[in-house]
Amino acid sequence: MTKLTEQLISEMERNITNDSVTEYINRFYKPASPELGTLRLEAEAEKVPIILRETESFLRVLLSIAEPESILEIGCAVGYSAMFFTEVTGANVVTVEKDPIMAARAASNVKRLGYGDKIRILEGDGEEVADSLFEQGETPFDIIFIDAAKSHYKRFLDASLKLCRPGTVIISDNVLLKARTASDIYDPMGRHKTNIKKMREYMEYITSDPRLETTIISCGDGVSVSKIKKL
Ligand SMILES: C[S@@+](CC[C@H](N)C(=O)[O-])C[C@H]1O[C@@H](n2cnc3c(N)ncnc32)[C@H](O)[C@@H]1O
C-alpha cells in the first residue's frame, strides 16, 4: 500500500463506527426537551463540542438505570450535558469549567432554561476544583462525568476518586479519540501524539485498577464506563 492510499483509508476510517450506521441510529434520537433540542442545534452550528447524539442516547438509558441523585461533571462548555443530566434524572449537578467565557455562557443558559436550583457551575480546573470540593467535605457523587481536556483524564479521575463511594459510576467521554487511541494509522501526520499517548495510558489505568470495573464502548467518540467496586 502506498503512503497516500494508507492516508486516504485512514481518513475514511476515522470514525469508530460506520457513518451510515451512526446516521441510522441517530434517526431515533430524541432531545430530552424542546429547549435542549434547540440548544443542541445552536451548539452544533457553532461547533461547540457537546456530547454527540448517539452518546446522549446511550447516557440517557444508562442514567435511567443508575437513577443518580448527584452528578459531578468535569467539562461544562455551554451547560448542555449538565442540563440534559438534570432533565432526564432530576439529579443535582455540579459542573466544572475552566474557560470563564464558557462558564458565563453556561450560567446564562442554565438560568434561562430554569435549571438554576439544580445545577452549580464552578469555574476552574477540574482537578483543582475536585480537590477543593473534597476539602470542603462534599458528599460523594453517584456519577462522575469526565469530558474536558483529553490529555488530563488521569488527573481528573484521581481527584474525582476522592469524591466517590463504592457504587459510583465514572463515565469518560471521547476515550477513542476518533479511533486514534486504537491505532496510530488514524493519526497519519502524528498531530495528536500527546493526546493519544495520554489516552492510552488512561485506558490502561482504568482497566487495570482493582478498584474499578471498566468497559470501553465504541459509541460516539468512545465512552468508558467504570463502576467503583471498592475504595
Ligand atoms: C467537550 S467540552 C464539554 C462539553 C459538555 N460536557 C457537553 O457535552 O455539553 C469540554 C470543555 O472542557 C473545558 N475544559 C478544558 N480543560 C479543562 C480543565 N482542565 N478543567 C475544566 N474544564 C476544562 C473546555 O473549556 C470545554 O468547554
Side-chain angles (χ1 to χ4, degrees):
M1 220 180 335
T2 67
K3 266 246 166 298
L4 183 63
T5 320
E6 235 174 75
Q7 205 170 310
L8 285 173
I9 290 172
S10 68
E11 287 295 323
M12 278 169 2
E13 292 180 347
R14 281 160 74 94
N15 288 324
I16 293 159
T17 49
N18 179 313
D19 276 349
S20 54
V21 174
T22 303
E23 223 168 86
Y24 175 74
I25 292 171
N26 282 337
R27 279 191 221 157
F28 302 99
Y29 168 80
K30 288 183 210 77
S33 73
E35 294 77 13
L36 286 174
T38 304
L39 185 60
R40 165 176 286 287
L41 293 177
E42 288 166 3
E44 285 173 352
E46 221 192 306
K47 296 204 176 346
V48 175
I50 62 169
I51 46 170
L52 294 169
R53 290 169 190 230
E54 60 273 30
T55 306
E56 178 179 323
S57 302
F58 168 66
L59 293 180
R60 190 166 176 163
V61 175
L62 186 69
L63 293 173
S64 82
I65 296 167
E67 298 183 340
E69 288 178 3
S70 61
I71 299 177
L72 171 66
E73 171 180 75
I74 298 180
C76 168
V78 291
Y80 178 82
S81 51
M83 290 188 276
F84 159 73
F85 293 150
T86 294
E87 181 62 34
V88 298
T89 64
N92 291 305
V93 176
V94 175
T95 178
V96 187
E97 174 55 53
K98 192 176 179 180
D99 178 345
I101 294 170
M102 281 292 179
R105 286 184 63 180
S108 143
N109 286 331
V110 162
K111 192 171 171 209
R112 182 171 58 87
L113 298 190
Y115 294 93
D117 57 335
K118 287 288 201 176
I119 299 177
R120 202 166 16 134
I121 300 166
L122 301 177
E123 195 186 307
D125 167 69
E127 178 188 17
E128 288 169 16
V129 172
D131 281 344
S132 68
L133 286 171
F134 174 69
E135 278 154 25
Q136 289 158 26
E138 185 83 25
T139 309
F141 291 89
D142 297 329
I143 300 269
I144 309 270
F145 182 60
I146 301 178
D147 186 22
K150 308 308 161 203
S151 56
H152 295 285
Y153 273 24
K154 185 174 177 296
R155 64 182 189 90
F156 296 146
L157 176 81
D158 284 337
S160 305
L161 281 171
K162 291 182 255 173
L163 296 164
C164 290
R165 53 166 174 79
T168 295
V169 175
I170 299 167
I171 304 164
S172 311
D173 197 15
N174 308 103
V175 295
L176 292 176
L177 301 174
K178 296 191 164 58
R180 296 181 190 113
T181 309
S183 170
D184 288 341
I185 66 160
Y186 299 110
D187 185 31
M189 315 305 273
R191 286 197 191 115
H192 304 273
K193 269 188 177 162
T194 307
N195 275 0
I196 293 170
K197 181 174 175 287
K198 293 273 189 179
M199 194 56 87
R200 286 179 185 160
E201 286 167 8
Y202 183 66
M203 293 292 89
E204 288 293 330
Y205 186 59
I206 59 172
T207 53
S208 59
D209 189 313
R211 294 171 295 180
L212 308 176
E213 187 67 55
T214 296
T215 186
I216 304 163
I217 296 162
S218 56
C219 167
D221 193 23
V223 183
S224 68
V225 181
S226 310
K227 183 173 175 185
I228 306 275
K229 292 190 286 185
K230 56 179 179 184
L231 278 173

